[in-house]
Amino acid sequence: MTAEEKNIPKSYDPQAVEANRYEWWLEQNLFKATEEEGKESYSIVIPPPNVTGNLHMGHALNLSIQDALIRRKRMQGLNTLWLPGMDHAGIATQARVEAMLRQDGISRYDLGREKFLEKVWEWKEKYADTIRQQWSKLGISVDYSRERFTMDEGLSKAVRTVFVKLYDKGLIYRGKRIINWDPAQRTALSDIEVIYKDIQGKLYHMRYPFEDGSGAIEVATTRPETMLGDTAVAVHPEDERYQGMIGKLLDHPITGRKIPVIADEYVDKEFGTGVVKITPAHDPNDFEMGQRHNLEQIVVMNEAGQMNENADKYQGMDRFECRKQIVADLQEMGVLFKIEEHAHSVGHSERSGAVVEPFLSTQWFVKMQPLADAAIDLQKGDDAVNFVPDRFERTYLQWIENIRDWCISRQLWWGHRIPAWYCDHCGETIVTMDDPTSCTKCGHDALRRDEDVLDTWFSSALWPFSTMGWPEQTKDLDTFYPTSVLVTAYDIIFFWVARMIFSALEFTDKKPFEDVLIHGIVRAEDGRKMSKSLGNGIDPLDVIEKYGTDALRFMLLNGTAPGNDQRFQFERVESARNFANKIWNASRFVMMNLGEDFTYQGANGFAKLGTAEKWILHRLNATIQDVNARMEVYDFGGAGSAIYEFLWNEYCDWYIELAKMPLNGDDAQAKSTTLNVLVYVLDQSLRLLHPFMPFITEEIWQALPSTAAGASIVTASYPAFDAKWEDAQAEKEMGLLMDIIRSIRNTRAEMNVPPSRPITLLIKAKDSDTEAILTRGESYIRRFCNPEALTISTDVAVPEKAVSNVVTGAELFLPLAGLIDIDAEIARLEKEKKKLDGEVERIEKKLNNQGFVAKAPAEVIETEKAKLADYADKRATVISRIEELRG
RNA sequence: GCGACCGUAGCUCAGAGGGAGAGCACUACCUUGACACGGUAGGGGUCAUAGGUUCGAUUCCUAUCGGUCGCACCA
């Protein structure tokens, strides 16, 4: 049956190839984890996407990498698990739902906690569906039977267990601290949720008068509105300028409060006037100084960033409005005498973008030092987590070595509610697994649960083991934990990777993963980040619709250099799509030639292997070795290129062309061998490529005569290197023949002799060995070069008028009647000679260098000598040809 | 201030202590019975700059210039 009869379209159509295939895989249960006794395990937990919206190009890259890894290991026969799931993403999701409600003029307070949470769950279900839809489009082979959500019952239990254990151990505490406050979301943030941006601000210089009328002291501030909470002014204890003033009282210019001048080492004498106003409730450094000097903490704002009752006449104003007003008032009073431009960085909320306010409030914290110490010990020991690329280990260590306590309470509703209750009767705090009904201390039932929820990352930190059933001791934990590798972008090393490591050490006594593979981000074509605000994001689904999932995946994986960013370019997707088309057509060629009576026998059918067959099998084997080696070290770009080059430049460009001879010839055995080789190599190549391009490889594989009925490439064995296919002789012979063929094509092109015009071709072999190779390959030369007469010999009668070319081992002559200009030919050969002169000279210089001969490794010297002999040989041939022509 | 990364063909990027590579773009020819999403042949780079290590550096080290990012500070 021919390809036309089978209706194989001439062009690859990704839509047709990819339709329904994913569902078919799922029906066959091919992605379900296997847990067979005695088999090695390989597991990955997905970095759970937020249920806030659609997956972006970064997800597509992240998932393509993981899928390539897990598909290969699955094909290699390991027990594999790729566990999918999603993250509730506290602040992000709540913000999205609140924004949605706001369009209807509803606030979360209008609904109340319970009703509001119902809305969020609805939202979550909707987006979870969208995400699953996108996963299926990307073709990722996750085990849906194990899908988890961070707020599942099981995972919630894990969270509560961890909270209670850490609390009981004294590693979780509640305290009144300066934290990063997001006035837009009205919640506390952890340090890493604050993004610092450089802002051109202003530095305001003011005079605070001494109460005794003895002049004034000059202070500078960037945030004049906080002066309402000033409770001191500080100078450096050794600053001569202010020695007499320490301890004196000042009249605060606005509040009239009497505030002291204090001395503290923290103050930088060089900055500004060397005097700082101290606002303990609104600045972390001032807070610490305030504690050292027992200063009063006056909070002057409310949770929304508006001035509160401590702000006198400014009460009710927004903080920035207040700044303007205070500046105006102070200028009028003559207190503010100078405004300078001042560049400084200002913290913004990662989620809402609001300017973060350092804010004094009562929050829950994780005491980090003991947890960090364990993580550091692990990394300094023999069983460290393997970061790929390893430079990220330094990034990680630097952070964990300088870690500060982690603020984990959030004033939100969407999330894991903190399992703490307060007794209104005796004031006791109760932290427990089960909801208490009465106070453990006084027995009273006037219990009030803490309103706050936990930082999203608190639950994410448990992901590798909570998803497998922890704190229960499950079979999944036995088989698949610790996981093999965690794949993520570098932007969440601190948020997530670090926290998983110390959590896992604390609660499972094991590191959560052997390797951490850190990849870059996918940037827009111009190198900028893809972002919603810039509107330069590219939706993976749009790309898939036009070019197919396989093209997108291959482009993303092939562009991956470990840890480096890549730019998204449509030309690169197009190139990947063209590759898919090339494979499609090569396969189509194979199908078209199979014929009704052909029975695939695999290697048993290799009865009459020619040089080309031996060569392609050798090259396939070398490619398999290369690809496997590269995949083991996460070199997806290298592995992808190796397959690309093999399939396109060797299988298609050379082997298929050469195969046409036996396929169209009379030798039934040669024809059958060729078909077996064509199918075998294609089959193996498809398996090799399957982790990169799952759809097209399955589609073609299903049509191959080598495929057993009902089998899927998903669980076919992955190709492995086998020394029996190594064939140096075939490599050498094909190398020589390819050199000659290319050389002739080159001459034809340069002399404008079209391929359709037959030529006379004389090949002078260097020795009888080479002559034998060329004679064996005569049909190959005929196939590509269209000679009307072909002479191969160690001794050919060279016509006077002929273009000559020299390759390693042979000299070629093309007597092209009417086209040869002797002078031009001499000039061309002179140019060739000059090139060879350069090569010879370079290597001679090297070999004449005593230092080189004495110190370079023997094999390097040998290859240099061989190169020299080859170049010198070629040069001698060219010279003698020039002399012949000159007569 | 500390740290990391990058600077290679017109563009986007691989690479490696011993003859500079890919994709796209470009030039010429080819509508050849798998494929024009194709074929064949070609042009194009003192591998940012200056030192150093080495028999040998585009690759390793140092400095400089240019770019990106993270952390800390920021009255």
Side-chain angles (χ1 to χ4, degrees):
Chain A
M1 202 166 26
T2 67
E4 274 72 20
E5 287 168 65
K6 283 182 184 171
N7 282 324
I8 304 178
K10 198 170 163 182
S11 267
Y12 157 69
D13 173 5
Q15 299 307 325
V17 166
E18 291 169 12
N20 305 321
R21 180 60 70 188
Y22 196 74
E23 291 68 27
W24 184 78
W25 283 328
L26 290 181
E27 281 161 22
Q28 318 253 323
N29 248 333
L30 293 169
F31 303 154
K32 196 162 162 58
T34 47
E35 293 185 84
E36 289 172 36
E37 289 294 328
K39 272 192 175 181
E40 202 185 321
S41 293
Y42 190 88
S43 57
I44 302 177
V45 287
I46 208 167
N50 293 347
V51 289
T52 44
N54 301 340
L55 302 185
H56 52 65
M57 204 51 84
H59 291 111
L61 170 62
N62 178 258
L63 295 167
S64 298
I65 290 174
Q66 293 172 78
D67 198 38
L69 290 171
I70 206 92
R71 278 183 188 266
R72 174 164 166 272
K73 291 292 177 184
R74 186 184 292 119
M75 290 172 79
Q76 288 181 328
L78 278 67
N79 277 332
T80 51
L81 164 63
W82 187 11
L83 190 151
M86 299 175 204
D87 195 296
H88 67 280
I91 298 184
T93 309
Q94 177 159 331
R96 296 290 296 276
V97 175
E98 283 193 83
M100 181 187 74
L101 291 173
R102 210 172 301 128
Q103 291 187 332
D104 302 329
I106 306 168
S107 88
R108 69 165 142 142
Y109 304 101
D110 296 335
L111 291 176
R113 190 163 190 145
E114 205 170 318
K115 279 265 188 296
F116 176 75
L117 287 178
E118 277 173 27
K119 289 276 179 204
V120 188
W121 277 104
E122 280 171 27
W123 169 283
K124 180 257 163 184
E125 293 305 336
K126 186 180 149 201
Y127 277 93
D129 281 346
T130 307
I131 288 168
R132 279 185 216 106
Q133 188 62 30
Q134 289 179 298
W135 282 347
S136 74
K137 278 281 176 193
L138 285 164
I140 66 168
S141 58
V142 291
D143 180 354
Y144 287 101
S145 72
R146 286 173 167 83
E147 186 185 332
R148 297 288 183 270
F149 180 58
T150 45
M151 279 171 60
D152 279 352
E153 205 176 312
L155 276 71
S156 300
K157 189 181 169 194
V159 164
R160 205 190 258 208
T161 305
V162 163
F163 189 95
V164 173
K165 283 193 172 183
L166 288 177
Y167 180 81
D168 289 344
K169 223 175 158 178
L171 292 179
I172 280 183
Y173 63 89
R174 193 167 183 247
K176 199 174 182 186
R177 298 288 147 87
I178 292 269
I179 44 81
N180 303 292
W181 185 262
D182 177 344
Q185 289 297 324
R186 301 191 194 187
T187 178
L189 301 172
S190 66
D191 293 343
I192 49 177
E193 285 168 296
V194 179
I195 311 292
Y196 287 90
K197 291 184 199 167
D198 287 332
I199 300 280
Q200 191 56 242
K202 290 185 168 62
L203 188 59
Y204 303 89
H205 293 260
M206 301 171 294
R207 289 193 189 89
Y208 282 25
F210 287 105
E211 65 158 358
D212 60 8
S214 63
I217 201 163
E218 289 178 13
V219 300
T221 181
T222 53
R223 298 198 304 146
E225 68 279 10
T226 64
M227 71 190 290
L228 297 165
D230 288 353
T231 50
V233 158
V235 297
H236 194 276
E238 278 148 32
D239 194 331
E240 313 82 44
R241 291 173 292 182
Y242 306 109
Q243 284 305 317
M245 304 174 192
I246 296 164
K248 288 176 80 171
L249 290 176
L250 299 161
D251 273 329
H252 190 281
I254 292 193
T255 64
R257 206 163 29 236
K258 306 282 184 209
I259 59 173
V261 177
I262 62 169
D264 195 288
E265 304 253 323
Y266 166 77
V267 180
D268 179 357
K269 286 190 282 189
E270 309 304 321
F271 192 95
T273 56
V275 185
V276 200
K277 63 180 205 58
I278 304 299
T279 319
H282 287 277
D283 181 282
N285 296 310
D286 292 7
F287 175 78
E288 285 176 21
M289 249 188 282
Q291 292 212 311
R292 285 198 285 276
H293 298 272
N294 277 320
L295 299 175
E296 194 186 349
Q297 300 158 344
I298 303 171
V299 176
V300 297
M301 288 176 209
N302 65 17
E303 295 172 351
Q306 294 157 336
M307 308 315 290
N308 68 8
E309 66 280 3
N310 293 325
D312 298 330
K313 66 170 183 166
Y314 301 101
Q315 184 177 351
M317 279 186 178
D318 171 80
R319 54 192 167 145
F320 297 116
E321 199 186 322
C322 172
R323 179 181 299 176
K324 273 191 214 156
Q325 191 58 52
I326 282 197
V327 166
D329 292 351
L330 289 172
Q331 273 178 313
E332 200 169 309
M333 291 160 66
V335 168
L336 196 163
F337 64 96
K338 188 164 83 177
I339 302 176
E340 268 183 304
E341 287 297 316
H342 178 69
H344 61 147
S345 54
V346 177
H348 293 69
S349 164
E350 193 211 5
R351 287 294 162 192
S352 72
V355 172
V356 164
E357 190 64 38
F359 193 67
L360 184 68
S361 71
T362 303
Q363 303 288 344
W364 289 91
F365 296 87
V366 175
K367 191 175 170 186
M368 284 307 305
Q369 203 56 59
L371 298 167
D373 286 344
I376 294 163
D377 285 348
L378 172 83
Q379 212 55 31
K380 299 266 158 94
D382 298 334
D383 193 34
V385 173
N386 176 35
F387 282 78
V388 182
D390 55 12
R391 62 188 149 93
F392 289 108
E393 181 179 15
R394 286 189 66 175
T395 310
Y396 161 73
L397 274 174
Q398 207 176 336
W399 185 74
I400 199 122
E401 280 170 353
N402 295 294
I403 200 155
R404 290 193 293 180
D405 284 356
W406 173 17
C407 175
I408 50 169
S409 43
R410 297 289 180 277
Q411 288 64 51
L412 307 170
W413 288 348
W414 177 241
H416 298 101
R417 196 159 171 185
I418 290 175
W421 287 259
Y422 310 108
C423 177
D424 281 337
H425 192 254
C426 70
E428 179 72 355
T429 298
I430 303 150
V431 170
T432 170
M433 284 299 293
D434 310 303
D435 294 10
T437 49
S438 60
C439 178
T440 47
K441 193 176 171 191
C442 68
H444 211 279
D445 64 358
L447 294 179
R448 198 167 34 83
R449 185 166 188 179
D450 195 299
E451 291 291 321
D452 294 350
V453 300
L454 287 163
D455 181 3
T456 297
W457 298 100
F458 192 90
S459 55
S460 317
L462 318 179
W463 187 251
F465 48 98
S466 65
T467 50
M468 293 191 195
W470 189 93
E472 313 307 329
Q473 192 44 249
T474 62
K475 190 174 181 211
D476 274 359
L477 281 169
D478 265 357
T479 313
F480 294 115
Y481 185 83
T483 62
S484 307
V485 59
L486 180 91
V487 182
T488 187
Y490 52 69
D491 52 357
I492 54 175
I493 293 177
F494 305 144
F495 281 104
W496 196 40
V497 178
R499 285 167 177 168
M500 279 190 284
I501 293 174
F502 66 69
S503 303
L505 288 176
E506 174 70 18
F507 292 101
T508 70
D509 271 332
K510 290 175 187 161
K511 56 186 178 185
F513 24 71
E514 295 293 329
D515 294 355
V516 179
L517 176 60
I518 307 283
H519 60 254
I521 59 172
V522 184
R523 295 179 173 276
E525 197 141 359
D526 61 3
R528 290 191 296 181
K529 252 184 172 170
M530 285 190 187
S531 76
K532 272 192 199 116
S533 53
L534 286 171
N536 61 351
I538 294 166
D539 187 339
L541 293 185
D542 292 344
V543 178
I544 286 169
E545 187 161 341
K546 191 160 175 212
Y547 298 95
T549 299
D550 285 332
L552 174 64
R553 289 177 53 137
F554 191 79
M555 171 266 180
L556 289 170
L557 288 169
N558 217 27
T560 301
N564 286 6
D565 293 349
Q566 66 172 302
R567 299 193 193 192
F568 186 93
Q569 286 178 293
F570 278 104
E571 298 92 84
R572 290 180 49 227
V573 190
E574 212 169 289
S575 160
R577 191 271 321 265
N578 294 351
F579 177 46
N581 184 58
K582 189 73 182 178
I583 297 166
W584 182 260
N585 277 292
S587 308
R588 197 165 152 264
F589 170 81
V590 174
M591 304 298 169
M592 283 169 68
N593 281 283
L594 287 181
E596 281 297 331
D597 51 345
F598 174 73
T599 322
Y600 179 71
Q601 296 167 277
N604 294 330
F606 297 172
K608 203 167 184 182
L609 296 175
T611 305
E613 280 71 35
K614 290 178 185 164
W615 171 77
I616 198 70
L617 290 166
H618 166 82
R619 291 301 312 148
L620 169 69
N621 193 46
T623 305
I624 289 168
Q625 185 177 32
D626 190 25
V627 168
N628 277 316
R630 289 175 184 279
M631 289 297 284
E632 283 301 316
V633 295
Y634 304 108
D635 178 7
F636 304 103
S641 304
I643 304 170
Y644 180 98
E645 279 165 23
F646 173 74
L647 271 171
W648 201 312
N649 303 337
E650 300 187 308
Y651 187 71
C652 291
D653 287 353
W654 288 98
Y655 186 62
I656 284 186
E657 290 309 319
L658 291 172
K660 287 174 183 172
M661 288 186 294
L663 292 181
N664 297 325
D666 303 327
D667 185 336
Q669 204 179 23
K671 183 172 175 179
S672 153
T673 297
T674 301
L675 284 173
N676 274 294
V677 171
L678 277 168
V679 172
Y680 174 81
V681 175
L682 181 57
D683 179 321
Q684 291 284 302
S685 304
L686 291 171
R687 295 178 193 219
L688 211 50
L689 183 60
H690 181 252
F692 290 75
M693 296 182 136
F695 291 100
I696 189 174
T697 49
E698 178 78 280
E699 180 80 5
I700 297 169
W701 202 74
Q702 287 302 323
L704 290 182
S706 52
T707 301
S712 164
I713 197 171
V714 170
T715 46
S717 67
Y718 201 72
F721 172 80
D722 187 337
K724 80 175 175 199
W725 298 117
E726 289 196 299
D727 194 331
Q729 182 62 24
E731 172 118 75
K732 185 185 163 191
E733 294 198 12
M734 273 302 290
L736 175 60
L737 292 167
M738 285 157 77
D739 268 359
I740 284 175
I741 291 160
R742 274 190 281 249
S743 162
I744 296 165
R745 283 167 167 172
N746 175 305
T747 304
R748 272 183 176 278
E750 275 184 9
M751 305 296 290
N752 273 319
V753 182
S756 53
R757 184 176 146 188
I759 50 166
T760 299
L761 177 56
L762 305 161
I763 304 178
K764 185 180 171 186
K766 187 173 85 175
D767 49 41
S768 59
D769 192 30
T770 313
E771 185 185 9
I773 294 174
L774 294 174
T775 307
R776 270 201 296 280
E778 191 187 321
S779 61
Y780 296 0
I781 298 170
R782 289 186 179 279
R783 165 86 186 97
F784 289 109
C785 301
N786 190 19
E788 64 179 349
L790 172 59
T791 308
I792 296 169
S793 169
T794 50
D795 179 27
V796 294
V798 181
E800 177 153 340
K801 283 199 156 193
V803 176
S804 71
N805 256 319
V806 55
V807 299
T808 302
E811 193 179 3
L812 319 172
F813 299 96
L814 283 79
L816 296 165
L819 289 174
I820 315 288
D821 174 336
I822 298 282
D823 290 337
E825 178 63 6
I826 290 173
R828 200 181 60 81
L829 289 167
E830 286 286 359
K831 209 172 142 192
E832 181 68 16
K833 176 182 167 290
K834 213 173 160 188
K835 223 169 93 183
L836 291 165
D837 281 343
E839 299 288 359
V840 169
E841 200 182 325
R842 186 176 56 77
I843 301 173
E844 274 179 345
K845 202 175 146 193
K846 202 179 239 189
L847 287 167
N848 288 335
N849 180 337
Q850 289 307 311
F852 176 74
V853 180
K855 297 192 178 178
E859 56 178 60
V860 172
I861 296 172
E862 280 315 303
T863 52
E864 290 298 320
K865 278 184 178 167
K867 278 193 278 183
L868 178 62
D870 184 40
Y871 286 128
D873 212 32
K874 282 181 177 165
R875 185 174 64 166
T877 309
V878 169
I879 289 171
S880 75
R881 178 64 186 163
I882 291 172
E883 278 165 4
E884 268 172 48
L885 288 177
R886 285 200 170 127

